[in-house]
Amino acid sequence: MKVFDVFSGAGGFSLGFEMAGCSVIGAIEQDKWAAETYQYNHKDSKMFLGDIRQFDSDYLKTNLTDKPDIIIGGPPCQGFSICTKNAGDPKDPRNSLFKEFIRMAQIFSPEALVMENVPNIIKAKTKSGEFVVDIIKREFANLDYNVYYKILVASDYGVPQMRHRFVLIASKKELSHPFPNAKFSADSNDETSLFPEQNLRKTPTLWEAISDLPQIEAREGSEVMPYSSEPQNDFQKWCRLGSKELHNHLAMKHTARLVERFSQMKWGESVSDIKDERLKQMKRNGNGLVSETPYDQNNRRMFPNSICHTITATFYGNFVHPYRNRNFTAREGARIQSFPDTYVFLGKPTVLSKKLLMREGRTGEAYLCQYSQIGNAVPPLMAKAIAENLVNQLGNGDKK
């Protein structure tokens, strides 16, 4: 089936659908570096670089090679309003980029659409008290789509992290089981499943996901480097299939003080657990005074033998390697997101804040860095499970 990814980012969603046998014919992305990453890894897909609102229906129909069977994407629905101040509720999806997702459905009338977003959207209400998801459901229903939504857990599909995502499927055909069953369990401590009747495999742990990568220290590594060991398990073999060299495995340039701070942390501890006064977090512009603000979620050392916490757009500052005194590299984050090593991320590894870059006139650097591209992505293995389940039913004409 032909797929159009209309909020593509770096392409995790598209990759999952490609893994399921789909052909991704096009993508829309407004961030330059994310679009370059996407195009590098999806060379046969037509990239529309720019704000989705600038592409009218005639332009898209003319420049897209085929009519898509499925449209996918993660339109920002919360706190993202394109209405003028006081002209509407910013939490109302009809005032957000969600309406562009609906516009794509109106233009192409695909067999199905798959939308991904943050789990909290299921609790969000408009100023009038109406649930956002009820509005979204109604908008699709008005276009004669059957609508289903659920919070999916990425570790259920082999992704080694605690990631929960809201997924909505709008389908012209009624689906008997719109969402894929779990195939893995993060609760199992053995290679054999704790749930043999469900035939669940063990979700890879954090260490099982990254232990074969070169064990570099802070300031070490490279954008391109050789592997230093053989893969040690099936997940690592899958990640390295077809990859002759390693990309994006460059450690951050931590100061000696920060490296020493990390060295004081045990598994599960964060900056707020540091006892040595010399190494505690300082107040910004506080003339050397120790900050009294807790930083429980900042630079926490991960447990190696469990799945990782959620990889976010700022994961370069969230997590400390389980054994090395540094944050994760972009490649380690990509492994935890279930990107194969053949997937190369372009752009700079990290950048300063967008506001600071704009203030300094450095507009050429005000794009999504590798870490943000990875953290924003839909985990490919979760996307693959969604795609396989959906395509199987659409292809077979499955009815309730």
Side-chain angles (χ1 to χ4, degrees), residues 98-268:
F98 167 74
K99 73 178 182 181
E100 293 299 314
F101 202 60
I102 287 290
R103 184 169 72 93
M104 296 301 114
Q106 293 168 334
I107 292 171
F108 294 107
S109 189
E111 289 300 308
L113 300 97
V114 186
M115 176 181 136
E116 180 263 4
N117 216 284
V118 295
N120 279 345
I121 194 173
I122 209 164
K123 300 177 182 177
K125 294 182 180 180
T126 65
K127 288 178 181 176
S128 63
E130 187 175 10
F131 279 103
V132 165
V133 291
D134 288 340
I135 296 174
I136 294 173
K137 187 174 181 178
R138 189 164 62 247
E139 292 290 323
F140 277 117
N142 289 340
L143 297 176
D144 296 324
Y145 284 97
N146 299 285
V147 183
Y148 316 88
Y149 60 85
K150 187 177 182 180
I151 303 297
L152 298 185
V153 183
S155 60
D156 286 350
Y157 310 105
V159 181
Q161 66 170 297
M162 306 171 188
R163 191 183 192 92
H164 294 70
R165 302 301 289 179
F166 169 87
V167 176
L168 179 144
I169 295 175
S171 172
K172 287 185 176 179
K173 293 181 179 179
E174 206 170 342
L175 304 177
S176 60
H177 51 286
F179 300 101
N181 295 327
K183 300 178 181 179
F184 291 78
S185 170
D187 296 326
S188 177
N189 294 317
D190 306 309
E191 288 298 330
T192 55
S193 174
L194 286 179
F195 309 95
E197 71 281 359
Q198 298 178 33
N199 197 28
L200 296 183
R201 298 169 59 191
K202 176 179 173 290
T203 306
T205 64
L206 166 60
W207 193 236
E208 287 169 340
I210 67 172
S211 62
D212 65 315
L213 298 176
Q215 298 301 302
I216 58 176
E217 303 291 350
R219 296 178 170 267
E220 295 180 350
S222 176
E223 280 298 311
V224 184
M225 65 191 302
Y227 290 99
S228 59
S229 66
E230 294 297 316
Q232 300 163 15
N233 55 54
D234 288 343
F235 182 82
Q236 293 174 7
K237 289 177 183 176
W238 175 83
C239 286
R240 289 167 65 156
L241 189 63
S243 179
K244 295 179 171 58
E245 56 188 7
L246 189 62
H247 292 261
N248 311 123
H249 192 49
L250 178 64
M252 296 184 70
K253 301 185 187 318
H254 299 313
T255 63
R257 182 173 181 270
L258 189 55
V259 170
E260 187 178 359
R261 179 190 295 165
F262 290 164
S263 72
Q264 304 298 309
M265 293 181 188
K266 299 176 183 177
W267 293 334

Side-chain angles (χ1 to χ4, degrees), residues 76-91:
C77 286
Q78 288 179 288
F80 195 118
S81 175
I82 59 172
C83 60
T84 56
K85 189 175 181 181
N86 299 322
D89 185 345
K91 283 192 176 182

Side-chain angles (χ1 to χ4, degrees), residues 1-5 8 11 13-19 21-27 38 42-46 64-65 70 72:
M1 287 192 161
K2 297 177 178 64
V3 175
F4 189 25
D5 191 342
S8 71
F13 219 170
S14 287
L15 179 60
F17 272 76
E18 285 183 346
M19 289 176 180
C22 295
S23 172
V24 182
I25 58 175
Y38 187 99
H42 304 269
K43 291 181 172 60
D44 295 331
S45 179
K46 168 74 174 179
L64 203 59
T65 55
I70 302 172
I72 61 176

Side-chain angles (χ1 to χ4, degrees), residues 266-270 273 300-303:
K266 299 176 183 177
W267 293 334
E269 292 185 343
S270 69
D273 295 302
R300 183 178 297 278
R301 190 182 288 280
M302 293 290 97
F303 287 92

